[in-house]
Amino acid sequence: MAVAHVAGHGQLSATLSFFNRWVPSRIRKTYLYHPLPATADGPEESFAMTERVGPAAQLHATEVRPRNGTWRDLAGGTDEGPIKMAPVATQEGITEIAVSINDSEEEEPTEDDKVRLRRVADKLPKSAWLVAIIEFCERFAYYGLTGPFQNYIENAYSDVKLPGALGLGQTAATGLTNFFQFWCYVTPILGAILADQYLGKYKTILYFSVCYMFGLLILFLTSLPVAIEHGAALGGLIAAMVVIGLGTGGIKANVSPLIAEQYRGIKPTIRILKSGERVIVDPALTIQRIYMIFYLCINFGALASIATTELEKNVGFWAAYLLPMLLFVIGFCVLVVGRKKYVVRPPKGSVIFHAFRAIWIGVLNRGNLDVAKPSYQDEYGRKYKTPWDDIFIEEIKRALVACKVFVFFPIYWVTDSQMINNFVSQAGTMQLHGIPNDIMQNIDPITIIIFIPILDRIGYPLLRKAGIKFKPITRITWGFILGSLAMGYAAIVQELIYTSPPCYRFPSSKTCAAGGNQVHVAVQTPAYLLIGISEIFASITGLEYAFTKAPPSMKSFVMSMFLLTTAFGSMLGIALSPTAKDPRLVWLYTGLAVSAMVAAAAFWLLYNRYNATEDEMNELEARRPAQLESEVETNGHQAEKV
């Protein structure tokens, strides 16, 4: 490390112009720096520090203040290495002391930096990868058991064409799978309340995982051939759906915010890469990358249905449901073994009730939430009790923006859910050429797994380099549009099936003995591709939006509000299930295509203005970093980055 020498007095005014650009803001508050040329000790950038003191000893004794975190002692030591000092010539009683600072010191970008410098994502902590493994195992279990559901419910145990157990038909199968999805996305509200107010995220995930495993055991036992033959399968299926849905709700509400909370950055900072390039490390981009990796793990887990549908066809449903149970047990072990590694926030008591009380105060005052601020009450007369601060009210406003954005998502989820029920049934009416009809749905996760790295490493950086700000509202809008196109294509495929021999408009009829109309099942592929890419834009961005716009103490609750939109989408799917029969399916898909496109247009018109305030909303938490640090528990371990 170099030791700086004195900058001449004539240089002072010239170097002050560089002051804001090069000096960390937290150090500017105490000292005045300006850049100096490198010395013989090395090429590092040096700084001169001017302080209003006499002799250097007097500086150390009376003027230098120890600083938490960075400044360790009065002699200039820091957590990142020593600061070397040397007294230099004086002029008019002013002593200039030369200082060299470790170049790992991070600084906040200036407005000019924000325009000129490239933005990059930060490295992820190891604990975030542990949470990702847990999510992979949970999603492997979820998609592994839901993959065979449509056949399990729709087809009879004695069906010679397709595997089955209950023989309830397509309408009942679609209705029950929609009910299960609805239940799985309503229960996160309970999990969120327990986590944010009483247990914390980690303990809530732990307890609900036990519930989940019990539900998987019920499903496995009642899918054994002896249970199906003695009529226990239907009761067991419904009981398993209820118990598993409760378990997955407690996990879903908390694992999504937990993975993002492993990253502690809240402010953009300047960093110098090994290439020498100065870049802005952007927490918003880091959260975006975290959720892309999170969604990548979800879709690796979704590939479980490849294995379970093959097991369903060649071994039996009991084997198809045993595999997800075993993988979930592995995830549970990772959760327990890594318990001391996670960064977690303790529960905050009545924070949710405080939020609803603040909103109610706003409702009573014609939607003016500022009335709920303590500063407003102090100024205009204390009419309401306000056991929170002004920033909490600003965070509530931000959370309400997210909740408004979520309103149109149920329409999108109806289109997305077609691939786990009606698309499976559609494949069953086509030429399968020896593959299971429910294996085609795996094209969706494969598409996501391929395109997430492409967009993260190539697509999004190229857009940023070209000056195109592909912000959340824009991404969600494109997700809706692609979902609409997928439904339009499905309608075309369905019409092609209806116009093909030998069964034409009634390929699912029991009187149709053929193995499906003469349309190759691969024709379905573009619909799954479109749905997969739409999820990258709509679903991932929804998770990201729910986390970044929620108050720190309400992350799980706001996430549960986003997940609740899936439940509403399932309700719409249940309402539409009577139309899921031949020869009405063309109109079902056409109606969904039109609805999703109208939703995309309305969504953009109503909410595109929020793109302009995206950075401002994301930086709100930076206004109280000290409080955020004090709220975090690391169980005695510092999260490491990889």
Side-chain angles (χ1 to χ4, degrees), residues 456-499:
D456 182 46
R457 299 293 181 175
I458 301 173
Y460 289 156
L462 284 177
L463 288 173
R464 289 193 294 269
K465 189 174 182 179
I468 299 172
K469 297 180 178 179
F470 203 45
K471 291 195 173 182
I473 300 301
T474 308
R475 298 201 299 270
I476 293 171
T477 302
W478 274 105
F480 282 31
I481 292 171
L482 291 172
S484 171
L485 294 176
M487 293 302 101
Y489 182 82
I492 294 171
V493 172
Q494 192 64 51
E495 182 61 26
L496 181 62
I497 293 169
Y498 284 161
T499 56

Side-chain angles (χ1 to χ4, degrees), residues 541-560:
T541 308
L543 291 169
E544 174 193 335
Y545 213 76
F547 179 81
T548 57
K549 304 303 177 289
S553 54
M554 292 180 63
K555 298 291 188 185
S556 293
F557 186 76
V558 175
M559 186 65 70
S560 73

Side-chain angles (χ1 to χ4, degrees), residues 106-109 117-123 263 265-273 277-286 641:
E106 293 180 343
E107 58 176 301
E108 295 178 27
L117 300 184
R118 185 166 64 94
R119 292 175 179 260
V120 299
D122 206 347
K123 295 179 181 179
Y263 178 67
I266 56 176
K267 291 182 179 180
T269 56
I270 297 290
R271 187 170 298 169
I272 300 176
L273 303 180
E277 180 188 5
R278 295 176 76 241
V279 296
I280 297 175
V281 177
D282 192 339
L285 290 184
T286 307
K641 291 184 178 180

